[in-house]
Amino acid sequence: MRDASPAKTYALHIGVIALLFALNFVLPDYHQGLFARIMALAVFAMGYNLLFGYVGLLSLGHAMFFSAGLYGAGLTVYHLGWGVPEAFIAGVACGALLALIVGLLALRTAGVAFMIVTMMFAQVFYLLILYFATWTGGDQGLVIQQASRVFSIGGTSFDLTDPTVRYMSALALFAIVLLVTLAVVRSRFGRVLVAIRENEERTKMLGYDTVANKLAAVVASGAICAASGAAYALLFGYVGSNFASIQYSILPLLWVLLGGAAATLGPLIGTLFMYYVTDITSGFTSAYLLIVGVALILLVLFAPKGIMGSIRERWLRWLT
Amino acid sequence: MMPLLTTKGLSRNFGGLRAVDGVDFALMPGEIRAIIGPNGAGKTTFVSLLSGRIRPSSGIVVFDGADITTMPAYQRVRLGVAYTFQITSVFANLTAFDNVALPVQRTLTDGRSKGQVRSGVMAALERTGLADRAGTLAGQLSYGHQRLLEVAMGLALKPRLLILDEPTQGLADSEIDNFITLVREIARDATVLLIEHNMPVVMQLADRITVFNFGRILAEGTPEQIRANAEVQGAYLGATHD
Ligand SMILES: Nc1ncnc2c1ncn2[C@@H]1O[C@H](COP(=O)(O)OP(=O)(O)OP(=O)(O)O)[C@@H](O)[C@H]1O
Ligand SMILES: [Mg+2]
């Protein structure tokens, strides 16, 4: 039964957050920076997982939601001189709005058609960024200066270029999104999403407007991915069109598959794993992508449910 | 008394095949109606038109005085039309609990029932004798229990009209006796439309019987009248079945 051990599940998630908090104080500089990046990108993966893992909708266009957040935050800071919090909200709003529009159109399709339609939309978004190079900086991108990345809340000033502030900001976002997605997937809405994934026809015959529920999931997923993009722009001070390219649509899929779809901690594990495999292998060979590919194939062969999925199956059956 | 449900000239073609062919049908509130007929007679297609699972080629469906012909299935469910599938269609990868939680939380959201999801689910599981299976994945239940889970999901929807498509298929004899009791109980606050091949079940439960053949209504009447009807004998009852 799903509520067999909610306390254990929440304890595990909070434990992971506490561990990440503690790591800030022990990690060497280089790894502290890497972890901040991984946590920000794990948010992207969590947004993707909400749609792919729980609703079963495979999108190949999520780079557009990430970059809607990236540019929504980056451009308002760069051109309009907005503060960090306002820019972050602008980024999330851009992603949510884009997801609403794309969802309304793309949800008329399913399966392979949905993959292709989302990919096409993302490609259009990518080309628009290049087309409006005067504002977006085109493929060069834009660098957001340190002065624009300082903000204050209640009299305390935060400088996002400071490694610890950056790490803690990434962690805060990660923790909020992790706990929110955990609450969502355990909620009534989450139960309906899983039902749609398992058997949409049957779900309709239980009185659910499955299209409306899927649209809500697309918007939630888009908003979370945009939050990741907005945070990325503000934390690392760079927006560029490569984040809107097809590669960034496929990456969250890989992270989620690696970590385990439909497991709330899967996205973090997948992102972490892939980042470090890439990082370590690129240190001693230029063919590191080949090694990443091999690692992926091995994982899919021997742990088709991803790392978290396999751990859950063997040891943590109570875990949501 | 006004019928709960009526159809006029209801038809559905599949290519050249007239699966349901100009059916005029009326169902009174509170009755248990059985639909019988040979394989391929159009019974499942007919009730699918009522539930909104498929669209009619022509004709209308009226529920509680309102024309629902073009209403999407999920809205009909909220009005109180519940359908249980002939081909077992439970969520195999979810627990029995979660399977029933879906319809329970629907009625809570619609304000058609009160209380907590958990108590609603357990009540429906208890009525169908599945309470001790709450934590079992639906796909791991025996076939008979999956059929009962379908019924539990149907009655958890708090339907005004419960459509059961061959619910006793695959049930053991002992389970069938319990099932008959259960349907009588459900019928105290809902109208029941039952497609059933098992004639003893039909004869025990039905207030009236409608016989389908080649997409049309061949006969309709009380169990006694249907038993005595020569045409029905020819089309169905005489023919050995199962
Ligand atoms: N989706 C479909 N596409 C094409 N033909 C269909 C479809 N659904 C049903 N039919 C055909 O329509 C006719 C009526 O089928 P239906 O399933 O309604 O019969 P039934 O009375 O429920 O039979 P059974 O007792 O075997 O369940 C059959 O000839 C069937 O092959
Ligand atoms: Mg049938």
Side-chain angles (χ1 to χ4, degrees):
Chain A
M1 226 176 314
R2 75 188 287 121
D3 278 328
S5 36
K8 261 181 170 175
T9 301
Y10 278 99
L12 177 73
H13 286 73
I14 292 184
V16 168
I17 292 166
L19 178 70
L20 286 168
F21 180 82
L23 278 176
N24 174 65
F25 305 101
V26 293
L27 284 176
D29 289 354
Y30 173 72
H31 293 278
Q32 186 194 28
L34 206 54
F35 258 74
R37 216 169 275 261
I38 288 168
M39 287 188 289
L41 290 175
V43 170
F44 185 16
M46 285 192 276
Y48 190 84
N49 190 29
L50 184 63
L51 200 60
F52 172 66
Y54 290 91
V55 195
L57 283 171
L58 199 160
S59 148
L60 285 182
H62 262 52
M64 70 181 139
F65 303 131
F66 180 81
S67 45
L70 190 85
Y71 281 93
L75 297 187
T76 48
V77 168
Y78 192 88
H79 292 296
L80 307 176
W82 286 19
V84 167
E86 297 86 346
F88 178 77
I89 292 169
V92 176
C94 286
L97 183 66
L98 179 65
L100 179 67
I101 296 165
V102 170
L104 279 171
L105 297 167
L107 285 175
R108 293 158 182 265
T109 65
V112 177
F114 183 80
M115 290 159 57
I116 292 171
V117 169
T118 48
M119 193 163 91
M120 298 307 280
F121 274 112
Q123 198 59 21
V124 169
F125 195 79
Y126 176 59
L127 292 174
L128 283 175
I129 289 169
L130 293 181
Y131 184 79
F132 290 104
T134 346
W135 292 289
T136 61
D139 53 5
Q140 301 285 308
L142 300 171
V143 172
I144 301 165
Q145 299 303 327
Q146 182 196 358
S148 320
R149 289 156 62 199
V150 179
F151 67 105
S152 66
I153 297 175
T156 322
S157 157
F158 297 94
D159 179 357
L160 290 179
T161 58
D162 173 83
T164 297
V165 174
R166 183 157 68 190
Y167 187 98
M168 288 302 170
S169 306
L171 174 60
L173 177 67
F174 170 81
I176 291 169
V177 172
L178 179 68
L179 294 177
V180 166
T181 47
L182 180 62
V184 165
V185 302
R186 295 178 64 88
S187 71
R188 291 184 186 180
F189 175 55
R191 188 182 266 138
V192 176
L193 295 186
V194 170
I196 291 173
R197 178 190 74 199
E198 292 295 315
N199 187 342
E200 180 165 358
E201 204 48 40
R202 187 70 179 104
T203 311
K204 277 185 199 162
M205 297 311 295
L206 292 174
Y208 291 98
D209 183 348
T210 55
V211 177
N213 277 283
K214 285 195 285 186
L215 184 62
V218 170
V219 172
S221 168
I224 293 172
C225 294
S228 165
Y232 202 89
L234 297 165
L235 294 177
F236 303 104
Y238 173 72
V239 302
S241 61
N242 66 313
F243 291 110
S245 67
I246 179 80
Q247 190 195 346
Y248 274 80
S249 287
I250 292 173
L251 277 175
L253 172 63
L254 292 183
W255 294 331
V256 167
L257 281 177
L258 267 176
T264 41
L265 285 171
L268 172 69
I269 306 291
T271 314
L272 188 71
F273 184 84
M274 184 114 149
Y275 240 83
Y276 269 93
V277 169
T278 313
D279 193 63
I280 293 165
T281 50
S282 63
F284 57 84
T285 165
S286 58
Y288 67 94
L289 277 178
L290 184 73
I291 298 185
V292 172
V294 170
L296 273 173
I297 291 170
L298 289 178
L299 236 134
V300 170
L301 283 179
F302 294 106
K305 294 194 169 163
I307 300 169
M308 269 322 283
S310 305
I311 291 178
R312 179 166 60 183
E313 215 166 58
R314 286 205 196 134
W315 298 294
L316 307 178
R317 301 220 65 135
W318 44 269
L319 186 63
T320 304
Chain B
M1 195 163 45
M2 197 180 75
L4 180 65
L5 178 113
T6 50
T7 70
K8 289 224 162 52
L10 197 62
S11 307
R12 171 68 205 219
N13 309 328
F14 291 115
L17 175 77
R18 298 176 148 230
V20 173
D21 187 8
V23 170
D24 297 330
F25 178 83
L27 191 61
M28 291 318 233
E31 75 172 302
I32 300 181
R33 175 75 64 94
I35 296 183
I36 62 172
N39 292 115
K43 306 179 296 294
T44 295
T45 307
F46 176 66
V47 295
S48 297
L49 295 171
L50 306 183
S51 70
R53 221 163 60 100
I54 57 177
R55 305 265 134 200
S57 307
S58 62
I60 59 165
V61 182
V62 176
F63 181 74
D64 198 18
D67 186 336
I68 59 165
T69 314
T70 56
M71 184 183 279
Y74 71 85
Q75 284 179 6
R76 299 187 199 199
V77 176
R78 296 178 192 180
L79 280 185
V81 181
Y83 175 76
T84 70
F85 284 64
Q86 171 172 13
I87 298 162
T88 303
S89 167
V90 294
F91 298 97
N93 294 325
L94 304 186
T95 59
F97 183 94
D98 277 336
N99 270 271
V100 182
L102 284 158
V104 168
Q105 70 185 39
R106 181 72 251 162
T107 61
L108 290 170
T109 307
D110 295 346
R112 290 189 290 125
S113 65
K114 289 210 163 27
Q116 294 205 313
V117 174
R118 170 165 296 273
S119 54
V121 173
M122 291 319 289
L125 288 176
E126 258 147 38
R127 279 178 83 177
T128 45
L130 293 172
D132 56 337
R133 303 293 155 92
T136 309
L137 290 183
Q140 290 170 3
L141 293 172
S142 70
Y143 184 75
H145 282 158
Q146 291 189 17
R147 299 298 306 159
L148 288 174
L149 185 58
E150 278 275 354
V151 177
M153 292 161 78
L155 69 91
L157 281 170
K158 299 262 185 281
R160 299 174 61 198
L161 169 61
L162 179 60
I163 302 170
L164 299 164
D165 198 345
E166 301 200 21
T168 66
Q169 210 179 45
L171 291 194
D173 287 348
S174 60
E175 290 171 323
I176 286 182
D177 290 339
N178 290 339
F179 174 79
I180 290 172
T181 319
L182 176 64
V183 172
R184 287 221 175 91
E185 224 178 274
I186 294 171
R188 282 209 294 263
D189 29 46
T191 306
V192 175
L193 184 58
L194 172 75
I195 299 179
E196 189 53 72
H197 277 308
N198 185 327
M199 285 317 288
V201 172
V202 171
M203 291 300 171
Q204 281 180 68
L205 276 175
D207 300 315
R208 289 176 72 75
I209 298 175
T210 301
V211 186
F212 267 71
N213 201 17
F214 298 116
R216 294 162 175 266
I217 294 180
L218 176 69
E220 196 170 283
T222 62
E224 294 70 37
Q225 288 167 336
I226 294 301
R227 217 196 303 260
N229 185 316
E231 251 186 310
V232 177
Q233 296 287 341
Y236 185 60
L237 296 178
T240 46
H241 192 275
D242 289 341

